[in-house]
Amino acid sequence: MSKTKFMGSIGRIFIASFLLCLAVVVIYPLLWMVMNGFKSNGDMLSSPFSWPRELNWQNYVKAWNRGVSSYLTISILVTVTSTLTTILISAWAAYGLTRVAIPFNRLMTTLVLGGLMLAPAVALVPLVKLFQALGLYNTYWALLILYTAFRIPFCTFLIRSYMLDLPREVDEAAEMDGASPAATFWRVILPMCRPIIVSAVVLNVLFTWNEYLFAMVFTSGGDFQTLPVGLTSLMSKNGTDYPVVFAGMVIAAIPVVVLFFASQRYFIRGLADGMGK
């Protein structure tokens, strides 16, 4: 065996070992969470790393009846609405910044992308005062507006990066066929951007689904709590039924896992094409 082949084999073994270790690091916490969701509280505290003696499905029923069902409904409503709004606005903004001749294009691009530099925690206190003054505090609208506003710069950046590489000939062909800019966007450009749109959707869903800070502050003590905030209410200072908490966490994770596996082909392709340009 030549030195080149030997080094190539060593490299493949190293990469395979690294990926295997990475898979264990990612999968084991999820498996541990699922296992503990089936245990009794005593088994969980005495042997947290062992397999459950029996599958206690009642933990999932308890978690569902203790508010996870309403938290799940609110999270789905907020996530779907904010994601659709964010993607539509971001796609329109990216189309305008890349395919339409508008005054001060570079300045507008800088201002939009400058939103990536704004830390949500810095604006927390002024936003609380603003939403209280507008009567939007502790409502669905508070989360919808916040999640949409803070995700538009990032999604615009992704979609704009992808649109920059699309051939201009498709716009010219659509214009020759009599299509307006709006028709060109909906019927030509947007379908061509499907991979990056899917990637932006998945990333936006992950952010909104798991976001805790805004959800905790702007729905404090109300009936509009999302899953990250609602799951904390399952824990009590006087005694926590940990398997029920883990069961709630499993229920919360299932929609995101299903979404990722259903869209992973477009997700990986969109990120590779969009962020690499």
Side-chain angles (χ1 to χ4, degrees):
M1 180 182 294
S2 65
K3 183 177 180 180
T4 302
K5 291 184 178 180
F6 176 76
M7 294 302 295
S9 300
I10 295 297
R12 286 191 292 271
I13 293 174
F14 175 78
I15 294 175
S17 302
F18 174 75
L19 293 177
L20 179 62
C21 293
L22 185 61
V24 171
V25 170
V26 173
I27 294 175
Y28 179 76
L30 298 176
L31 181 61
W32 183 75
M33 180 178 67
V34 173
M35 289 191 308
N36 287 323
F38 287 106
K39 294 180 180 179
S40 65
N41 206 34
D43 291 339
M44 164 64 201
L45 295 175
S46 61
S47 54
F49 299 103
S50 64
W51 289 95
R53 298 178 183 178
E54 58 179 355
L55 299 180
N56 190 359
W57 292 96
Q58 286 299 315
N59 293 331
Y60 289 86
V61 177
K62 291 179 181 178
W64 187 263
N65 293 332
R66 289 185 184 179
V68 172
S69 58
S70 61
Y71 304 146
L72 183 66
T73 302
I74 294 169
S75 287
I76 291 175
L77 177 63
V78 172
T79 300
V80 171
T81 308
S82 64
T83 298
L84 289 177
T85 306
T86 301
I87 298 303
L88 285 176
I89 295 176
S90 299
W92 263 116
Y95 179 74
L97 294 174
T98 57
R99 324 296 289 192
V100 180
I102 58 176
F104 308 106
N105 187 295
R106 292 192 176 183
L107 177 60
M108 295 294 294
T109 302
T110 303
L111 290 176
V112 171
L113 300 184
L116 294 171
M117 308 300 175
L118 179 62
V122 175
L124 197 60
V125 175
L127 286 173
V128 170
K129 296 293 185 180
L130 176 63
F131 279 77
Q132 287 176 340
L134 296 176
L136 298 176
Y137 185 78
N138 207 12
T139 65
Y140 290 112
W141 290 104
L143 295 181
L144 293 178
I145 294 172
L146 290 170
Y147 291 159
T148 301
F150 278 92
R151 294 302 290 178
I152 284 177
F154 177 73
C155 293
T156 302
F157 168 76
L158 280 183
I159 301 172
R160 175 182 174 274
S161 300
Y162 194 92
M163 285 186 180
L164 284 173
D165 205 57
L166 296 179
R168 292 281 181 175
E169 288 77 8
V170 295
D171 300 72
E172 297 173 359
E175 185 177 357
M176 291 177 62
D177 290 337
S180 63
T184 303
F185 170 77
W186 287 108
R187 298 181 182 180
V188 180
I189 300 299
L190 201 59
M192 294 177 67
C193 293
R194 182 182 299 174
I196 197 62
I197 294 294
V198 173
S199 300
V201 166
V202 173
L203 292 175
N204 201 74
V205 167
L206 288 175
F207 167 81
T208 306
W209 194 262
N210 297 311
E211 201 281 328
Y212 181 79
L213 180 61
F214 282 156
M216 178 188 66
V217 173
F218 289 89
T219 61
S220 178
D223 298 325
F224 309 105
Q225 293 179 340
T226 57
L227 275 168
V229 179
L231 289 176
T232 60
S233 65
L234 297 179
M235 294 183 285
S236 171
K237 294 181 180 180
N238 299 323
T240 300
D241 195 347
Y242 289 102
V244 174
V245 177
F246 282 114
M249 294 169 63
V250 172
I251 295 174
I254 288 175
V256 178
V257 173
V258 172
L259 173 66
F260 177 77
F261 280 106
S263 60
Q264 62 175 331
R265 179 165 64 95
Y266 287 110
F267 176 73
I268 297 173
R269 176 186 167 189
L271 286 185
D273 291 346
M275 299 189 74
K277 294 175 183 177

